[in-house]
Amino acid sequence: MKIWIFAEAEGDAPSTATLELCTKARELADTVECVYAGSNADALAGPLGEYGVTTLYAADVGDRLVGVVGAAAIAALVDEHRPDIILFAQTYDGRDAIARLSARLDRPVLTNGSSLTVDGDTVKVGTAIFGGNTLVDAVFEGPKPYLAAIRPKSFSAEPAGGGAAAVVPVSGLELGRAGEATVLARHVEEREGPKLEEASIVVSGGRGLGSAEAYEQLVEPLAKLLGGASGASRAIVDAGWVPYSKQVGQTGKTVKPKVYIALGISGATQHMVGMKGSDHIIAVNKDGEAPIFSVADLGIVGDVHKVVPKLLEALQARG
Amino acid sequence: MNVVVCVKQIPDPAVPGELNPDHTLKREGKLILDESDSYGVEMALQLRDAAGEGEVILVSMVPNQEVSGLRQALAMGADRAILVSDDALHGADALTTAKVLARCVERAGAVDLVLAATESTDGYTGTVPAQIAELLGWPSLTFAKHVELADGKAQIQRQTEAGYDDVVAPLPAVVSVTAGVVEPRYPSFKGIMAAKNKPVDQVTTADLGLGPDDLAPRQRIVNVAAAPARQAGEKIEDDGTAHERIVAFLEELKVV
């Protein structure tokens, strides 16, 4: 069994989601290799090697889209190297890459995976549907390679202690008109405190806050006071109160903090998928019937505008 | 400016979803326009109107003859629709969907731009827009939170894990838009009346030149189970002291 992973970088290091996939793949396959589209592949070779990756196929991306170059690189290599499974993280670039590759190789995809099992030639991907109420297992049929995208945080990332992966440059890729899309500029949205996906405490706000000002006055100070990160429901991201990078849920980030505090969030299925795995959930909402209370360890039926200022005061008083 | 919008008619998400015995999603009864698609429809209308010429053409597929969701988008102002309605599409996966919709784009005539939501609300595989682009041999600009057209090019703000990128591509291209990219209009009474008479080109997969081999599902659901339910814990009404309970809870967890 040979598993390939579409590796993504965060700065000059492999992304956490990539390392999670490497850890899982190591458990299932004899050979784990990565394909990477980006710059500075040499910097990734060491950390990936520690997670069991032996070879890193690397294509330079320049100002092209990572997903486009990644799919073209994999397509150029599969016939020769014949991986059984190719895994992608369920990220923006991961989704671009798996989609392009799927059409190019004429292979179906399973996405939004939260589990992956291999039994002989049967490869099974588990997905949570209906807001995480129902788990569905699906298997691939037809010819390999099988293409699956897995949600970040589905597996833990644990190093195995191996030497650096061998870097094999890939060039001369056929991008076709897809390669005519170019990146003009990259914008990083400023963030204070820990990353949303990695914070041990997440404080999120929803429509019940009533305004963007309330987010700034209630959600952000509480997150800061607790040393956590601030998140948001899709409703207030769509409303333009906070940037997309704060969105928790099906279309946003998956978080599994020690404590998740939901302020003025009703608990639409879209949101619950992204936070149900938290160790402990605290919810404050005016509507006692809100679905969020069905998953909350501590539910406060009350007005966030009354409860949170007092909470901030009490926490500040403790120093 | 001819813009194709991929739209999906889905069961009302407010009603709890159900699966058929063969593990496919139940789609009987009235289907509505996926709210995620209303953003693409609105954007297409704005682009057509800004150009002062051209058409907004909806493409959609369903396993039955359902058109009520399409009529919603026609009532917003789209000009016409191509609807692929075919029993052979029951249980179709994302790549099959993309193959069908790509053929619809070709059938639509001279097209400058294809718009789609980043994913549907019910199935949310999230790959169809880029799959369509690959099948058409076009560039794709995905996860757009802002779109501008000028000089035969589309430029978007593409959402990223850390923020956003400015990305540009020459037309024709496929653009997937996030919710909130524009404010969808409500259909007017006049629009609703006009929608009844707008052309809906109902075709089968055979009309599109797709055979059983193109459509055969290559993945199979083998198990469906209820997720381990998370137990609701303590629930209290705020009597003015609920914040104290939160502090105590955080203390128990040793995070303060």
Side-chain angles (χ1 to χ4, degrees):
Chain A
M1 169 74 55
K2 183 193 277 187
I3 298 182
W4 273 10
I5 293 151
F6 175 64
E8 294 183 60
E10 257 169 36
D12 276 341
S15 72
T16 308
T18 300
L19 298 178
E20 291 164 5
L21 295 179
C22 294
T23 306
K24 187 66 184 181
R26 213 167 67 212
E27 182 191 304
L28 301 173
D30 324 302
T31 308
V32 180
E33 298 178 334
C34 285
V35 180
Y36 170 65
S39 56
N40 212 356
D42 290 335
L44 270 64
L48 287 174
E50 279 177 45
Y51 283 77
V53 177
T54 50
T55 306
L56 174 60
Y57 298 98
D60 193 31
V61 75
D63 62 355
R64 252 67 70 82
L65 290 166
V66 165
V68 168
V69 176
I74 297 171
L77 296 166
V78 280
D79 283 347
E80 186 186 341
H81 299 282
R82 304 203 161 272
D84 298 285
I85 306 172
I86 308 176
L87 298 178
F88 301 76
Q90 185 88 19
T91 56
Y92 301 115
D93 288 338
R95 283 167 60 177
D96 271 5
I98 193 173
R100 286 261 170 202
L101 186 67
S102 153
R104 209 152 159 160
L105 301 181
D106 194 26
R107 297 287 185 278
V109 298
L110 289 172
T111 66
N112 283 298
S114 55
S115 69
L116 176 70
T117 49
V118 174
D119 181 8
D121 261 351
T122 305
V123 175
K124 193 161 71 177
V125 176
T127 304
I129 62 166
F130 300 149
N133 290 335
T134 306
L135 297 176
V136 169
D137 288 329
V139 296
F140 292 96
E141 292 176 333
K144 292 174 174 176
Y146 299 145
L147 312 182
I150 306 287
R151 292 186 70 89
K153 302 263 160 189
S154 297
F155 313 125
S156 59
E158 285 151 28
V167 178
V168 178
V170 184
S171 57
L173 297 174
E174 283 293 327
L175 301 181
R177 279 206 61 223
E180 292 177 12
T182 53
V183 179
L184 302 174
R186 298 183 196 280
H187 305 269
V188 175
E189 275 155 0
E190 292 299 324
R191 160 178 65 77
E192 274 182 61
K195 280 181 68 174
L196 182 53
E197 309 92 298
E198 285 160 19
S200 63
I201 298 181
V202 172
V203 183
S204 280
R207 214 189 316 242
L209 291 166
S211 69
E213 290 70 37
Y215 187 91
E216 281 168 32
Q217 288 158 9
L218 303 177
V219 177
E220 281 174 353
L222 184 56
K224 200 168 171 187
L225 211 52
L226 295 171
S230 55
S233 72
R234 175 168 165 179
I236 72 166
V237 170
D238 288 352
W241 297 358
V242 296
Y244 279 97
S245 52
K246 287 193 185 291
Q247 187 169 320
V248 173
Q250 184 177 300
T251 46
K253 288 173 175 148
T254 303
V255 297
K256 290 188 176 175
K258 186 169 182 196
V259 185
Y260 188 86
I261 304 179
L263 303 177
I265 291 178
S266 64
T269 54
Q270 142 76 238
H271 185 71
M272 303 268 243
V273 170
M275 46 66 78
K276 264 176 79 163
S278 305
D279 292 349
H280 303 279
I281 297 172
I282 301 173
V284 183
N285 201 297
K286 240 182 338 199
D287 174 10
E289 301 301 312
I292 192 79
F293 289 123
S294 69
V295 300
D297 301 291
L298 175 61
I300 308 292
V301 182
D303 185 347
V304 286
H305 300 94
K306 290 189 181 141
V307 176
V308 181
K310 285 190 214 158
L311 177 61
L312 286 169
E313 206 175 300
L315 290 170
Q316 271 155 354
R318 297 167 56 94
Chain B
M1 174 61 54
N2 292 322
V3 186
V4 164
V5 190
C6 303
V7 297
K8 188 171 184 183
Q9 305 178 96
I10 63 168
D12 189 340
V15 179
E18 279 184 78
L19 297 177
N20 290 312
D22 72 348
H23 301 324
T24 54
L25 203 59
K26 270 201 178 174
R27 294 183 197 280
E28 284 91 28
K30 191 177 173 203
L31 299 176
I32 62 169
L33 177 68
D34 188 340
E35 194 204 337
S36 308
D37 292 329
S38 61
Y39 301 95
V41 174
E42 176 63 37
M43 170 144 286
L45 297 174
Q46 292 183 12
L47 294 172
R48 176 199 65 189
D49 296 345
E53 49 79 35
E55 279 188 311
V56 172
I57 306 142
L58 309 171
V59 300
S60 189
M61 62 176 244
V62 279
N64 51 26
Q65 308 284 314
E66 179 69 23
V67 292
S68 45
L70 275 186
R71 294 286 174 206
Q72 281 176 261
L74 290 168
M76 287 172 71
D79 296 281
R80 61 185 172 99
I82 301 173
L83 178 66
V84 190
S85 186
D86 198 323
D87 289 340
L89 294 172
H90 180 78
D93 65 28
L95 182 57
T96 302
T97 303
K99 286 177 183 175
V100 170
L101 295 178
R103 292 289 171 95
C104 290
V105 173
E106 287 164 352
R107 187 180 175 92
V111 171
D112 302 292
L113 180 67
V114 173
L115 291 174
T118 57
E119 68 240 311
S120 64
T121 301
D122 59 346
Y124 69 99
T125 309
T127 54
V128 169
Q131 285 170 323
I132 292 174
E134 182 69 29
L135 292 165
L136 292 171
W138 292 6
S140 51
L141 303 175
T142 48
F143 312 107
K145 58 175 192 160
H146 182 79
V147 182
E148 277 174 37
L149 293 189
D151 308 325
K153 290 177 184 167
Q155 182 171 331
I156 70 155
Q157 290 179 356
R158 178 178 183 270
Q159 209 174 307
T160 62
E161 307 298 325
Y164 68 93
D165 291 348
D166 296 317
V167 190
V168 68
L171 300 177
V174 176
V175 173
S176 76
V177 296
T178 58
V181 66
V182 283
E183 186 64 40
R185 69 192 67 184
Y186 288 103
S188 64
F189 178 70
K190 205 176 135 199
I192 293 167
M193 296 311 286
K196 295 185 172 155
N197 296 316
K198 286 182 175 170
V200 176
D201 177 18
Q202 293 224 24
V203 297
T204 64
T205 51
D207 295 332
L208 295 171
L210 294 166
D213 286 352
D214 299 305
L215 307 173
R218 289 174 295 174
Q219 47 189 233
R220 189 165 48 90
I221 292 176
V222 290
N223 189 43
V224 175
R230 216 190 146 101
Q231 293 296 318
E234 179 186 347
K235 186 165 140 190
I236 56 171
E237 294 267 348
D238 177 34
D239 59 358
T241 63
H243 61 284
E244 291 170 11
R245 182 66 195 97
I246 299 177
V247 173
F249 190 79
L250 294 172
E251 278 173 347
E252 285 163 35
L253 299 175
K254 299 192 167 48
V255 296
V256 293

